Amino acid sequence: MTRSIIAFAPWLLCICSLAAGERVHGGLTLHEVNGQVDLKKLGEDVARLSRGEVPITTMGLIECEASYGSSVFFTASNRSAIYFEGSGSFAVERFEQVMPELAKWNADKVEPSQSRMILNFRGGDLIVDNRNMLESSQFLVETPLGRLTTKRALWQMQILFDPRSQIFDFTITCAEGRVLFTDLQGQQYTLRMGQRLAGVGSRTSPSIEVGEKTERSRGTDAALPRLG
């Protein structure tokens, strides 16, 4: 927790002159990077990251691309955590929150004010922990297969794509909380603790099954790095 607060100090200083209740861009801190990872901040050029550069804190939107086996770990000012492993990419397309009271933000690990976050996930392995977000906050993920809406959940999604056959192979695992997946046809699937959705096929009409999560996917929580 202490490392997280220190890393977010630049973000807190940038917004501390605003009154509580105003809407601001959320902040992201990159804590760990392994392998070949490219990061593009809003209005800046793409940069190849290295371990020696972290932690990095930024406001606004980002795009992140990682090669096979490479990974990054972010925390956000809405108290969510994001672990991403390539090959693939994801982007934070929207991230806004009500300006928190700084003393309250520092004192509690639970999100202090309402937020809205929208990710665009194109491929790879994405693990998100938003169990510390408010029930009234929104966390949405757009994918080539449909949209995920999550509420105070620990979840994982993997997307593989074969460009020759144009076939997607994807899974969504809910370790805790609730995940709602809506495919491109409007069909909705609700996943709760211990459930797993698996799909394979074309982008518009994959074959989808929902069942219990497998032994391989039971380590979702353990995959998230720990902040001391």
Side-chain angles (χ1 to χ4, degrees):
M1 178 60 68
T2 301
R3 285 177 55 196
S4 181
I5 291 173
I6 292 173
F8 271 110
W11 177 79
L12 293 169
L13 289 172
C14 286
I15 65 174
C16 66
S17 61
L18 298 177
E22 291 188 51
R23 286 195 171 272
V24 297
H25 286 298
L28 286 171
T29 292
L30 171 62
H31 295 275
E32 295 185 10
V33 57
N34 295 289
Q36 296 184 359
V37 179
D38 292 333
L39 183 70
K40 184 179 186 301
K41 303 177 186 178
L42 181 64
E44 298 184 15
D45 294 332
V46 176
R48 175 64 54 86
L49 299 174
S50 65
R51 290 187 179 184
E53 296 178 275
V54 298
I56 299 172
T57 296
T58 180
M59 295 176 64
L61 313 179
I62 65 159
E63 298 176 16
C64 182
E65 184 172 354
S67 62
Y68 179 78
S70 300
S71 64
V72 288
F73 173 60
F74 294 89
T75 57
S77 55
N78 62 2
R79 299 302 194 192
S80 61
I82 300 170
Y83 174 84
F84 172 68
E85 184 175 319
S87 61
S89 66
F90 83 96
V92 179
E93 294 191 333
R94 185 170 181 176
F95 186 12
E96 59 186 27
Q97 65 186 119
V98 175
M99 169 63 185
E101 296 179 10
L102 300 188
K104 186 176 181 181
W105 195 95
N106 283 323
D108 201 339
K109 67 178 182 178
V110 177
E111 184 181 22
S113 60
Q114 191 179 53
S115 67
R116 187 183 190 199
M117 196 171 192
I118 300 177
L119 270 58
N120 191 317
F121 174 43
R122 310 305 298 175
D125 190 354
L126 184 70
I127 301 176
V128 176
D129 185 353
N130 55 16
R131 290 174 291 183
N132 290 325
M133 290 178 62
L134 296 175
E135 184 69 25
S136 58
S137 293
Q138 292 182 303
F139 197 105
L140 309 176
V141 184
E142 301 285 356
T143 79
L145 295 314
R147 168 182 282 194
L148 283 81
T149 305
T150 70
K151 284 292 184 180
R152 307 187 74 171
L154 173 64
W155 59 274
Q156 177 180 15
M157 184 172 187
Q158 295 176 305
I159 300 177
L160 299 175
F161 176 66
D162 184 345
R164 291 179 299 176
S165 63
Q166 297 291 298
I167 294 298
F168 285 89
D169 187 346
F170 64 100
T171 59
I172 305 170
T173 304
C174 179
E176 198 171 321
R178 185 177 80 251
V179 177
L180 175 65
F181 175 66
T182 305
D183 68 18
L184 298 180
Q185 304 302 317
Q187 180 68 44
Q188 294 187 334
Y189 303 84
T190 299
L191 303 179
R192 302 187 186 277
M193 180 185 294
Q195 290 188 307
R196 177 177 181 267
L197 178 150
V200 62
S202 67
R203 189 173 73 90
T204 56
S205 57
S207 175
I208 294 177
E209 294 183 355
V210 176
E212 299 302 305
K213 64 180 181 178
T214 63
E215 288 296 330
R216 183 179 178 183
S217 63
R218 294 184 193 276
T220 299
D221 194 17
L224 287 169
R226 302 297 181 183
L227 294 179

mmCIF file of all heavy atoms in Angstrom, residues 48-67:
data_model
loop_
_atom_site.group_PDB
_atom_site.id
_atom_site.type_symbol
_atom_site.label_atom_id
_atom_site.label_comp_id
_atom_site.label_asym_id
_atom_site.label_seq_id
_atom_site.Cartn_x
_atom_site.Cartn_y
_atom_site.Cartn_z
ATOM 1 N N ARG A 48 9.353 2.163 -25.855
ATOM 2 C CA ARG A 48 9.683 0.820 -25.401
ATOM 3 C C ARG A 48 10.104 0.907 -23.932
ATOM 4 O O ARG A 48 11.013 1.649 -23.579
ATOM 5 C CB ARG A 48 10.804 0.235 -26.264
ATOM 6 C CG ARG A 48 11.328 -1.123 -25.831
ATOM 7 C CD ARG A 48 10.306 -2.231 -25.917
ATOM 8 N NE ARG A 48 9.675 -2.376 -27.196
ATOM 9 C CZ ARG A 48 10.159 -3.095 -28.223
ATOM 10 N NH1 ARG A 48 11.319 -3.729 -28.096
ATOM 11 N NH2 ARG A 48 9.494 -3.184 -29.366
ATOM 12 N N LEU A 49 9.438 0.151 -23.080
ATOM 13 C CA LEU A 49 9.662 0.246 -21.647
ATOM 14 C C LEU A 49 10.784 -0.681 -21.189
ATOM 15 O O LEU A 49 11.055 -1.703 -21.814
ATOM 16 C CB LEU A 49 8.382 -0.104 -20.886
ATOM 17 C CG LEU A 49 7.164 0.784 -21.157
ATOM 18 C CD1 LEU A 49 5.944 0.235 -20.445
ATOM 19 C CD2 LEU A 49 7.437 2.220 -20.714
ATOM 20 N N SER A 50 11.402 -0.322 -20.074
ATOM 21 C CA SER A 50 12.407 -1.172 -19.456
ATOM 22 C C SER A 50 12.179 -1.209 -17.952
ATOM 23 O O SER A 50 11.535 -0.329 -17.384
ATOM 24 C CB SER A 50 13.821 -0.646 -19.749
ATOM 25 O OG SER A 50 14.017 0.621 -19.140
ATOM 26 N N ARG A 51 12.702 -2.230 -17.291
ATOM 27 C CA ARG A 51 12.494 -2.394 -15.859
ATOM 28 C C ARG A 51 13.004 -1.206 -15.055
ATOM 29 O O ARG A 51 12.436 -0.828 -14.042
ATOM 30 C CB ARG A 51 13.193 -3.663 -15.375
ATOM 31 C CG ARG A 51 12.542 -4.945 -15.845
ATOM 32 C CD ARG A 51 13.198 -6.128 -15.190
ATOM 33 N NE ARG A 51 12.581 -7.392 -15.593
ATOM 34 C CZ ARG A 51 12.933 -8.575 -15.097
ATOM 35 N NH1 ARG A 51 13.888 -8.642 -14.184
ATOM 36 N NH2 ARG A 51 12.328 -9.674 -15.503
ATOM 37 N N GLY A 52 14.096 -0.601 -15.516
ATOM 38 C CA GLY A 52 14.699 0.488 -14.777
ATOM 39 C C GLY A 52 13.873 1.758 -14.750
ATOM 40 O O GLY A 52 14.165 2.671 -13.965
ATOM 41 N N GLU A 53 12.837 1.842 -15.594
ATOM 42 C CA GLU A 53 12.032 3.062 -15.670
ATOM 43 C C GLU A 53 10.853 3.080 -14.708
ATOM 44 O O GLU A 53 10.234 4.121 -14.515
ATOM 45 C CB GLU A 53 11.499 3.242 -17.097
ATOM 46 C CG GLU A 53 12.565 3.457 -18.140
ATOM 47 C CD GLU A 53 11.955 3.566 -19.527
ATOM 48 O OE1 GLU A 53 11.728 2.505 -20.146
ATOM 49 O OE2 GLU A 53 11.695 4.695 -19.974
ATOM 50 N N VAL A 54 10.487 1.956 -14.146
ATOM 51 C CA VAL A 54 9.300 1.894 -13.294
ATOM 52 C C VAL A 54 9.669 2.236 -11.857
ATOM 53 O O VAL A 54 10.808 2.027 -11.426
ATOM 54 C CB VAL A 54 8.647 0.495 -13.377
ATOM 55 C CG1 VAL A 54 8.192 0.217 -14.791
ATOM 56 C CG2 VAL A 54 9.594 -0.603 -12.902
ATOM 57 N N PRO A 55 8.705 2.763 -11.079
ATOM 58 C CA PRO A 55 7.309 3.016 -11.470
ATOM 59 C C PRO A 55 7.146 4.268 -12.326
ATOM 60 O O PRO A 55 7.911 5.218 -12.197
ATOM 61 C CB PRO A 55 6.604 3.186 -10.116
ATOM 62 C CG PRO A 55 7.670 3.728 -9.215
ATOM 63 C CD PRO A 55 8.939 3.074 -9.655
ATOM 64 N N ILE A 56 6.142 4.234 -13.203
ATOM 65 C CA ILE A 56 5.768 5.369 -14.047
ATOM 66 C C ILE A 56 4.310 5.695 -13.775
ATOM 67 O O ILE A 56 3.451 4.812 -13.832
ATOM 68 C CB ILE A 56 5.936 5.036 -15.545
ATOM 69 C CG1 ILE A 56 7.394 4.692 -15.874
ATOM 70 C CG2 ILE A 56 5.442 6.199 -16.407
ATOM 71 C CD1 ILE A 56 7.567 4.169 -17.286
ATOM 72 N N THR A 57 4.017 6.951 -13.475
ATOM 73 C CA THR A 57 2.641 7.380 -13.247
ATOM 74 C C THR A 57 2.216 8.343 -14.346
ATOM 75 O O THR A 57 2.976 9.233 -14.733
ATOM 76 C CB THR A 57 2.499 8.066 -11.876
ATOM 77 O OG1 THR A 57 2.786 7.121 -10.852
ATOM 78 C CG2 THR A 57 1.081 8.588 -11.663
ATOM 79 N N THR A 58 1.017 8.140 -14.864
ATOM 80 C CA THR A 58 0.536 8.972 -15.949
ATOM 81 C C THR A 58 -0.948 9.272 -15.785
ATOM 82 O O THR A 58 -1.696 8.481 -15.216
ATOM 83 C CB THR A 58 0.771 8.284 -17.318
ATOM 84 O OG1 THR A 58 0.283 9.116 -18.370
ATOM 85 C CG2 THR A 58 0.055 6.941 -17.379
ATOM 86 N N MET A 59 -1.369 10.420 -16.267
ATOM 87 C CA MET A 59 -2.781 10.761 -16.309
ATOM 88 C C MET A 59 -3.323 10.474 -17.713
ATOM 89 O O MET A 59 -2.578 10.437 -18.681
ATOM 90 C CB MET A 59 -2.989 12.240 -15.979
ATOM 91 C CG MET A 59 -2.589 12.625 -14.560
ATOM 92 S SD MET A 59 -2.739 14.384 -14.250
ATOM 93 C CE MET A 59 -4.519 14.586 -14.454
ATOM 94 N N GLY A 60 -4.645 10.296 -17.819
ATOM 95 C CA GLY A 60 -5.260 10.171 -19.126
ATOM 96 C C GLY A 60 -5.257 8.772 -19.689
ATOM 97 O O GLY A 60 -5.277 7.783 -18.963
ATOM 98 N N LEU A 61 -5.150 8.681 -21.014
ATOM 99 C CA LEU A 61 -5.337 7.438 -21.737
ATOM 100 C C LEU A 61 -4.013 6.837 -22.171
ATOM 101 O O LEU A 61 -3.046 7.550 -22.426
ATOM 102 C CB LEU A 61 -6.215 7.690 -22.962
ATOM 103 C CG LEU A 61 -7.479 8.525 -22.718
ATOM 104 C CD1 LEU A 61 -8.251 8.720 -24.013
ATOM 105 C CD2 LEU A 61 -8.353 7.877 -21.659
ATOM 106 N N ILE A 62 -3.981 5.506 -22.297
ATOM 107 C CA ILE A 62 -2.781 4.818 -22.749
ATOM 108 C C ILE A 62 -3.146 3.708 -23.725
ATOM 109 O O ILE A 62 -4.272 3.228 -23.751
ATOM 110 C CB ILE A 62 -1.980 4.202 -21.587
ATOM 111 C CG1 ILE A 62 -2.793 3.082 -20.911
ATOM 112 C CG2 ILE A 62 -1.540 5.252 -20.575
ATOM 113 C CD1 ILE A 62 -1.951 2.114 -20.122
ATOM 114 N N GLU A 63 -2.143 3.303 -24.521
ATOM 115 C CA GLU A 63 -2.204 2.093 -25.313
ATOM 116 C C GLU A 63 -0.985 1.259 -24.968
ATOM 117 O O GLU A 63 0.119 1.789 -24.839
ATOM 118 C CB GLU A 63 -2.208 2.412 -26.812
ATOM 119 C CG GLU A 63 -3.406 3.236 -27.268
ATOM 120 C CD GLU A 63 -3.309 3.617 -28.733
ATOM 121 O OE1 GLU A 63 -2.478 2.998 -29.453
ATOM 122 O OE2 GLU A 63 -4.019 4.529 -29.157
ATOM 123 N N CYS A 64 -1.184 -0.042 -24.791
ATOM 124 C CA CYS A 64 -0.093 -0.917 -24.369
ATOM 125 C C CYS A 64 -0.070 -2.164 -25.243
ATOM 126 O O CYS A 64 -1.098 -2.818 -25.425
ATOM 127 C CB CYS A 64 -0.270 -1.294 -22.895
ATOM 128 S SG CYS A 64 1.057 -2.320 -22.230
ATOM 129 N N GLU A 65 1.112 -2.494 -25.763
ATOM 130 C CA GLU A 65 1.284 -3.684 -26.589
ATOM 131 C C GLU A 65 2.453 -4.500 -26.054
ATOM 132 O O GLU A 65 3.512 -3.940 -25.749
ATOM 133 C CB GLU A 65 1.528 -3.304 -28.045
ATOM 134 C CG GLU A 65 1.625 -4.496 -28.979
ATOM 135 C CD GLU A 65 1.682 -4.099 -30.448
ATOM 136 O OE1 GLU A 65 1.526 -2.907 -30.741
ATOM 137 O OE2 GLU A 65 1.878 -5.000 -31.287
ATOM 138 N N ALA A 66 2.262 -5.799 -25.932
ATOM 139 C CA ALA A 66 3.306 -6.675 -25.401
ATOM 140 C C ALA A 66 3.502 -7.871 -26.311
ATOM 141 O O ALA A 66 2.543 -8.428 -26.850
ATOM 142 C CB ALA A 66 2.939 -7.153 -23.996
ATOM 143 N N SER A 67 4.764 -8.275 -26.491
ATOM 144 C CA SER A 67 5.069 -9.464 -27.286
ATOM 145 C C SER A 67 4.790 -10.718 -26.461
ATOM 146 O O SER A 67 4.516 -10.648 -25.262
ATOM 147 C CB SER A 67 6.537 -9.433 -27.725
ATOM 148 O OG SER A 67 7.388 -9.444 -26.594
#
